[in-house]
Amino acid sequence: MRRFFLTAAQFQAGQTVDLSPEVIKHALNVLRLAPGAEIELLDGRGTIARCRLKQLQAKTGKAEVLALRNVPPPPLRVELIQGTAKGDKLDLVLQKGTELGVNHFIICPTERSIGRFKQDRLPAKAERWQRIVQEAARQCGQSYLPTLTITKSLSDALSVCSGDQRLVLWEEAEVPLPNLLAEQKPAAISLLVGPEGGLTKDEVTLAHSSGFNNVRLGPRILRTETAGLAIVSILQYLYGDLASADRGV
């Protein structure tokens, strides 16, 4: 069944909801849906509403809520602090990170960041990145929409992270990942990944002051767009849902 996010909605059985312009455009022009078709609307917070399209025109769309169900939150909360990178590397991190179950992306400039963004262009970039996250969540069956935070500095990013286990990927680290894995499954993990040039020693020291431990993933130096996705995959297998037999909903 086709599914869409309608994050501002608070669904109730039997109600008629107005569809957003984005949902109308995709349902009408891309999927060629028509009134009478059943769809699922998600609020991004675990509620899924099975609906029937009542009206679908170029500027107007309405759907009737037929039934509701709630999906439990994921077993592991993953927070990824990503240093800004050039080109479309951040797009890849956001898209694939969403597919792998990242719950919160924090994007920040670092000392060696090449892909810095101007403040006047930030709203447009934030809107574009949010669309990438939302589309990835829709396609992969993620019922909880990841949040996206953009900070002005690494210090600001570290101040808003919330993981009870915190790891910074650093090419000069000597401690392998298994040595730092918690025996008890953590409720949330915060990961810090630098840009193309990596993090400086001062930045790693700053991360240590916020409770982060530096870690290395094997003998190879991974690209910035690979490193975070690699460790998220490992942690989701160990603590999250990648090893689960559950099917998507």
Side-chain angles (χ1 to χ4, degrees):
M1 188 178 299
R2 303 294 186 176
R3 43 173 41 198
F4 307 90
F5 280 98
L6 206 61
T7 55
Q10 293 183 343
F11 301 117
Q12 295 180 359
Q15 77 173 144
T16 297
V17 297
D18 293 321
L19 304 180
S20 67
E22 293 78 15
V23 172
I24 293 171
K25 181 178 179 181
H26 193 77
L28 187 63
N29 299 333
V30 178
L31 300 177
R32 305 293 185 183
L33 298 181
E38 290 194 4
I39 61 173
E40 288 184 334
L41 296 178
L42 293 76
D43 66 357
R45 302 178 296 278
T47 299
I48 301 177
R50 182 169 63 87
C51 303
R52 179 180 293 114
L53 289 174
K54 295 182 65 176
Q55 184 178 3
L56 190 61
Q57 298 173 341
K59 296 183 178 181
T60 305
K62 296 181 181 295
E64 179 187 4
V65 178
L66 303 177
L68 298 172
R69 72 181 191 275
N70 293 304
V71 178
L76 176 68
R77 176 174 172 79
V78 180
E79 191 172 58
L80 178 60
I81 306 172
Q82 174 69 53
T84 55
K86 64 181 180 180
D88 59 358
K89 294 178 181 179
L90 283 178
D91 295 2
L92 178 67
V93 170
L94 293 170
Q95 182 189 67
K96 302 307 178 185
T98 298
E99 292 180 20
L100 290 170
V102 174
N103 306 100
H104 184 199
F105 294 96
I106 304 175
I107 299 175
C108 67
T110 60
E111 290 186 32
R112 294 173 176 166
S113 288
I114 300 174
R116 293 179 179 270
F117 36 74
K118 297 179 180 179
Q119 289 301 309
D120 60 340
R121 298 182 60 187
L122 189 56
K125 281 186 174 292
E127 183 178 348
R128 179 172 176 273
W129 287 336
Q130 191 61 62
R131 286 200 304 268
I132 291 173
V133 168
Q134 183 166 310
E135 181 62 15
R138 187 186 67 80
Q139 290 186 346
C140 74
Q142 170 66 281
S143 301
Y144 286 81
L145 188 63
T147 55
L148 174 66
T149 301
I150 303 172
T151 65
K152 295 181 179 180
S153 67
L154 175 58
S155 178
D156 289 345
L158 294 174
S159 70
V160 299
C161 70
S162 59
D164 48 341
Q165 183 170 12
R166 304 181 178 193
L167 303 173
V168 50
L169 274 68
W170 193 37
E171 63 272 14
E172 297 185 33
E174 298 181 355
V175 181
L177 179 61
N179 291 21
L180 291 173
L181 293 177
E183 293 184 7
Q184 298 287 335
K185 185 178 81 169
I189 296 180
S190 294
L191 305 170
L192 170 58
V193 177
E196 291 91 343
L199 297 167
T200 65
K201 290 184 178 181
D202 287 345
E203 289 175 325
V204 173
T205 300
L206 179 63
H208 288 169
S209 69
S210 294
F212 282 76
N213 293 304
N214 53 305
V215 66
R216 185 181 185 92
L217 289 180
R220 292 171 294 279
I221 297 177
L222 303 180
R223 292 176 180 269
T224 182
E225 68 270 29
T226 306
L229 301 180
I231 193 170
V232 168
S233 300
I234 295 169
L235 295 172
Q236 286 285 31
Y237 174 76
L238 293 173
Y239 302 130
D241 54 15
L242 279 187
S244 171
D246 294 341
R247 300 183 63 182
V249 293

